[in-house]
Amino acid sequence: MKKWEKQTMKIAALGAMALTLAGCATAKSSSSQGNNPGKTIKIGVNMELSGSAAGYGEQQKQGIQLAVKKINKSGGIKVGGTKKKIQLVIRDNKTSNTTAASVAAQLVNNDKVVAVVGPATTSAGTAAIPNMTKAAVPSVSPSATDPDYTLQKSGKVQKYIFRACYQNNFQGATAATFVTKNLKAKRVAILTDNSSDYGTGLTKAFKKQYRGTVVSSQTFQEGDKDFNAILTALKHKKIDAIYAPGYYSEIGLIVKQARQAGIKAPIVGSDGMADAKLAQIAGKSNATNVYYTTPFSTKASATIKVASKFMSAYKAKYGSTAPTFSALAYDSVYMIKAAIEKEGSANSVKIADGLAKLKNFKGVTGTTTIDKQHNPEKTISIEQLTNGVVSKVYNVK
């Protein structure tokens, strides 16, 4: 009886061990294998198509669709010895972090996409990271600019998270250098959109780099319309320039009200101003002596073949000048294409490997190399507006 019990227990233990090992093998396989393509290469779009950031999301969707149309027209993406066309799966995250996380899960688990473009904002993108990582599917954000976006809390890189835009600390520092060297501004006032990490992050980077005197530092919120009280106080201070990082919706009003108050000092901002709507809100005559950092300058890119072709195609399709965020999204798709062709595979893990190795990628927004933290090393431009039109471009490396 005891002998039988021992044998039974031994068999049961071996069986349990086998099941455990099988479970471990399955878990290891599912976590590292990722998603594979079928007859087409499914690329997901997790984008802000409604809500407060819908303007940026729509621009990015246009850039994505334009890129996919061009790639498919040429036969698709070369994978080994064959070509596969792209199938887009577009979902609206509604400018909601919770929805962005849910959309990420739907795209990787239900739609079985092998890569994702988006989200547009850092907060929505960050919310999506756990689901992207769990499924081993890479995402490329065209515009998530927070420095920590591609990093874990430990400081290690997020294996499946990439971006096509440079981070806030880079453009904030660039703006500070430009204000000092080009504008010779020794006294600066700062107006910060403190309702998001975007504005506060840019201001922090600017202050760290700027060597002059910050005579005033004021804040505002997304959706604010009246800036007269702040600007009236600034009018009586001796300032050589104003640094106002934020989005065109608020900065356009700041420019308008500053000029109406008689403030003629240069107003310098960030890529959230890189939209024709800025001049529409500010008024063309007011949008003079205005500068902003941008990864894509239509004026500078006109002589670059790949960029000029993109701008012509965009104009033909949408009837307007290509905005920065469309260009970044267009490049995001082509970065995924380059990664697939480099690895000779459209498996999602392999695509992440290819994105991490991307070097000297010649895109619409410049030549890009992905660094160890999954950030693009690329040229930054500063555009100058005169009467609402880009009159000059400064290129900074």
Side-chain angles (χ1 to χ4, degrees):
M1 185 69 178
K2 287 182 179 179
K3 186 177 181 182
W4 179 83
E5 284 178 344
K6 285 182 179 179
Q7 287 177 331
T8 303
M9 290 174 68
K10 187 177 181 180
I11 292 169
L14 288 170
M17 186 180 292
L19 286 171
T20 302
L21 290 171
C24 288
T26 302
K28 184 177 181 182
S29 174
S30 63
S31 66
S32 61
Q33 185 180 4
N35 290 343
N36 289 299
K39 292 182 179 179
T40 60
I41 295 174
K42 281 188 178 181
I43 295 179
V45 178
N46 186 346
M47 196 56 67
E48 292 81 339
L49 301 177
S50 60
S52 60
Y56 299 104
E58 282 293 337
Q59 289 179 8
Q60 294 187 20
K61 185 180 79 168
Q62 290 176 343
I64 292 165
Q65 290 176 321
L66 199 63
V68 170
K69 182 181 178 181
K70 184 178 179 182
I71 291 168
N72 284 346
K73 190 176 180 180
S74 67
I77 300 175
K78 189 176 181 181
V79 186
T82 62
K83 274 193 170 185
K84 290 179 180 286
K85 290 191 175 182
I86 298 173
Q87 180 183 345
L88 275 183
V89 183
I90 300 174
R91 293 188 180 274
D92 179 13
N93 65 39
K94 302 178 181 179
T95 317
S96 160
N97 296 349
T98 303
T99 307
S102 175
V103 164
Q106 289 176 315
L107 289 171
V108 298
N109 298 324
N110 300 342
D111 302 316
K112 297 295 181 183
V113 301
V114 295
V116 171
V117 178
T121 61
T122 297
S123 55
T126 301
I129 288 175
N131 287 328
M132 301 302 299
T133 302
K134 186 177 180 181
V137 174
S139 72
V140 180
S141 173
S143 54
T145 55
D146 187 83
D148 294 331
Y149 175 63
T150 61
L151 302 177
Q152 301 175 40
K153 288 183 179 179
S154 65
K156 291 183 179 179
V157 71
Q158 296 277 10
K159 182 177 179 181
Y160 296 99
I161 307 304
F162 301 83
R163 55 176 145 207
C165 57
Y166 42 65
Q167 59 270 45
N168 287 340
N169 48 6
F170 181 43
Q171 64 167 323
T174 299
T177 300
F178 175 78
V179 164
T180 303
K181 292 186 176 180
N182 295 79
L183 300 183
K184 310 297 182 185
K186 295 180 180 179
R187 295 169 58 84
V188 168
I190 299 176
L191 303 181
T192 303
D193 176 359
N194 70 346
S195 58
S196 70
D197 291 338
Y198 177 70
T200 56
L202 285 162
T203 295
K204 183 179 178 181
F206 180 90
K207 285 182 174 179
K208 185 177 180 180
Q209 181 71 18
Y210 183 58
R211 296 295 175 260
T213 302
V214 177
V215 297
S216 177
S217 189
Q218 304 292 327
T219 62
F220 62 89
Q221 295 279 317
E222 178 186 346
D224 283 356
K225 305 291 185 186
D226 188 353
F227 303 93
N228 284 301
I230 295 174
L231 294 168
T232 299
L234 287 184
K235 187 178 179 181
H236 301 292
K237 295 180 181 290
K238 183 183 176 183
I239 55 173
D240 300 317
I242 296 173
Y243 182 58
Y247 298 109
Y248 65 78
S249 46
E250 288 78 31
I251 305 301
L253 290 172
I254 287 174
V255 171
K256 180 179 182 179
Q257 291 169 27
R259 298 309 187 225
Q260 289 175 340
I263 298 174
K264 297 179 181 180
I267 298 175
V268 182
S270 53
D271 58 351
M273 295 165 60
D275 193 290
K277 293 186 182 69
L278 177 82
Q280 293 174 12
I281 295 169
K284 289 185 177 181
S285 60
N286 293 322
T288 295
N289 208 13
V290 172
Y291 307 80
Y292 52 81
T293 48
T294 177
F296 176 68
S297 168
T298 54
K299 193 176 184 70
S301 299
T303 57
I304 301 171
K305 190 175 181 180
V306 64
S308 62
K309 282 187 175 182
F310 160 73
M311 289 189 288
S312 296
Y314 189 94
K315 182 85 172 180
K317 175 71 176 176
Y318 301 110
S320 61
T321 302
T324 296
F325 295 101
S326 294
L328 286 166
Y330 185 92
D331 275 355
S332 298
V333 175
Y334 270 91
M335 285 167 66
I336 293 169
K337 176 180 180 288
I340 291 171
E341 292 178 341
K342 180 177 180 61
E343 295 297 312
S345 171
N347 166 269
S348 63
V349 177
K350 289 291 187 181
I351 295 173
D353 291 341
L355 285 167
K357 299 172 190 172
L358 209 61
K359 290 183 179 180
N360 297 319
F361 164 76
K362 298 193 182 302
V364 169
T365 60
T367 300
T368 296
T369 292
I370 297 297
D371 68 16
K372 291 180 180 180
Q373 294 186 330
H374 293 181
N375 298 312
E377 295 175 347
K378 64 202 301 182
T379 299
I380 184 171
S381 297
I382 294 177
E383 291 191 329
Q384 177 181 347
L385 295 182
T386 303
N387 292 321
V389 177
V390 178
S391 57
K392 190 173 181 180
V393 179
Y394 304 81
N395 287 320
V396 184
K397 182 67 174 178

